[in-house]
Amino acid sequence: MSDKTTTADEVASRLRSGMTLGIGGWGSRRKPMALVRALLRSDVTDLTIVSYGGPDVGMLAAAGRIRKLVAPFVTLDSIPLEPHYRAARERGAFELMEIDEAMFMWGLHAAANRLPFLPVRAGLGSDVMRVNPGLRTVTSPYDDGETFVAVPALRLDAALVHVGRADRQGNGRYLGPDPYFDDLFCEAADTAYLSCERIVDTAELTKEAAPQTLLIKRHTVTGVVEAPNGAHFTSCAPDYGRDEAFQKAYATTPWADFAARFLGGDEQAYQSAVREGEWMS
């Protein structure tokens, strides 16, 4: 089996402007922020971003990298609405397809199963259909004759996800209480890049946990990046919680100032700034 280890900057170098990029995690939880920071250091732009949005979306929106966003929400959890996303959206910086959380999930399921759409009840009778006039309905061909929303597949050119542990072949294990939908992002994508807190031997992945925690399977992964603290400032339970002080500073600092202070160097410089508490000065 091949060794798929790589670096965050090498991952960014494989991405191209105009891609549809899925980003795993949920809100301000277990986001692949080291990979997002590498993407921000590149010149990749004009992206369609598919995400249960958090600071990944906020940063990419503030930096002007998003052409279209597909999301059910964009939040920092303890801060309900991501402020940099909000500012970009208010100035009309990108197109938005806002859909129900369940519709989003089934869109990933459809893509993972190579289907053009999946029928769901979610969205019927709501403004989701009004604000997304491109959505269509389908009628069951069976005796029930029920009408469903035909949620289009959220097919991805590439996916970025982060978990607690992974091996060199691309198997990934989550350690926290929620798997989110990182496996679906990988399965829905042509290429998928997995960052992790620590790379371990394959035998270690299920040594102290149930096999069900082995969320990501190697056949769906293109590259593996060891990125300690790589979800910062979002949480990566149980390794660390959300850095609320840093998140507050991010949310209240003008984007240009934040980017100059924390995103001007490489990942090592970012982590050094975090350790030294530069945002508190």
Side-chain angles (χ1 to χ4, degrees):
M1 291 182 288
S2 60
D3 185 330
K4 298 178 182 177
T5 54
T6 184
T7 68
D9 287 327
E10 286 174 350
V11 169
S13 74
R14 298 178 189 178
L15 304 178
R16 296 290 179 265
S17 295
M19 277 186 162
T20 297
L21 179 64
I23 305 178
W26 179 283
S28 196
R29 295 174 243 180
R30 215 176 69 220
K31 284 289 180 177
M33 296 306 295
L35 300 182
V36 172
R37 288 187 285 269
L39 179 58
L40 287 165
R41 291 193 295 270
S42 77
D43 59 0
V44 173
T45 190
D46 196 38
L47 294 168
T48 296
I49 298 296
V50 178
S51 175
Y52 286 104
D56 54 328
V57 171
M59 289 185 179
L60 291 169
R65 306 299 183 91
I66 300 177
R67 177 181 63 82
K68 179 180 179 179
L69 173 65
V70 182
F73 54 75
V74 184
T75 180
L76 297 178
D77 292 323
S78 58
I79 300 172
L81 184 60
E82 217 285 356
H84 296 294
Y85 154 78
R86 180 187 63 200
R89 178 62 183 158
E90 286 176 347
R91 65 176 181 268
F94 53 83
E95 179 185 351
L96 174 64
M97 181 181 181
E98 184 179 15
I99 55 178
D100 174 89
E101 293 174 20
M103 297 170 75
F104 188 98
M105 177 187 69
W106 285 108
L108 291 176
H109 270 294
N113 287 280
R114 305 304 186 262
L115 296 171
F117 71 92
L118 278 174
V120 301
R121 292 187 177 91
L124 290 172
S126 77
D127 277 349
V128 168
M129 304 300 290
R130 179 182 61 80
V131 300
N132 294 288
L135 287 176
R136 298 289 183 264
T137 58
V138 293
T139 301
S140 169
Y142 299 104
D143 292 342
D144 59 274
E146 188 173 353
T147 298
F148 300 93
V149 178
V151 177
L154 296 178
R155 188 70 191 157
L156 311 173
D157 294 311
L160 309 177
V161 301
H162 185 83
V163 295
R165 306 290 183 267
D167 66 13
R168 294 177 177 274
Q169 288 73 47
N171 297 298
R173 173 185 164 200
Y174 76 98
L175 304 175
D178 198 326
Y180 309 123
F181 299 99
D182 292 351
D183 53 335
L184 289 180
F185 278 95
C186 292
E187 292 167 13
D190 292 337
T191 58
Y193 299 96
L194 169 66
S195 62
C196 65
E197 292 298 312
R198 183 159 56 91
I199 289 177
V200 299
D201 291 336
T202 303
E204 279 192 53
L205 286 176
T206 56
K207 187 176 181 180
E208 297 178 354
Q212 290 87 342
T213 63
L214 194 63
L215 179 67
I216 309 296
K217 309 303 189 296
R218 64 177 184 268
H219 72 276
T220 66
V221 172
T222 308
V224 182
V225 176
E226 186 172 58
N229 211 34
H232 185 271
F233 51 92
T234 72
S235 62
C236 187
D239 290 314
Y240 47 87
R242 184 164 52 244
D243 189 336
E244 293 287 0
F246 191 98
Q247 177 168 277
K248 182 178 180 180
Y250 161 76
T252 57
T253 301
W255 169 250
D257 294 341
F258 179 88
R261 195 167 196 180
F262 294 103
L263 303 177
D266 59 14
E267 183 66 11
Q268 185 175 359
Y270 173 85
Q271 296 294 347
S272 177
V274 169
R275 287 192 300 270
E276 293 170 11
E278 288 189 9
W279 74 94
M280 302 178 74
S281 60

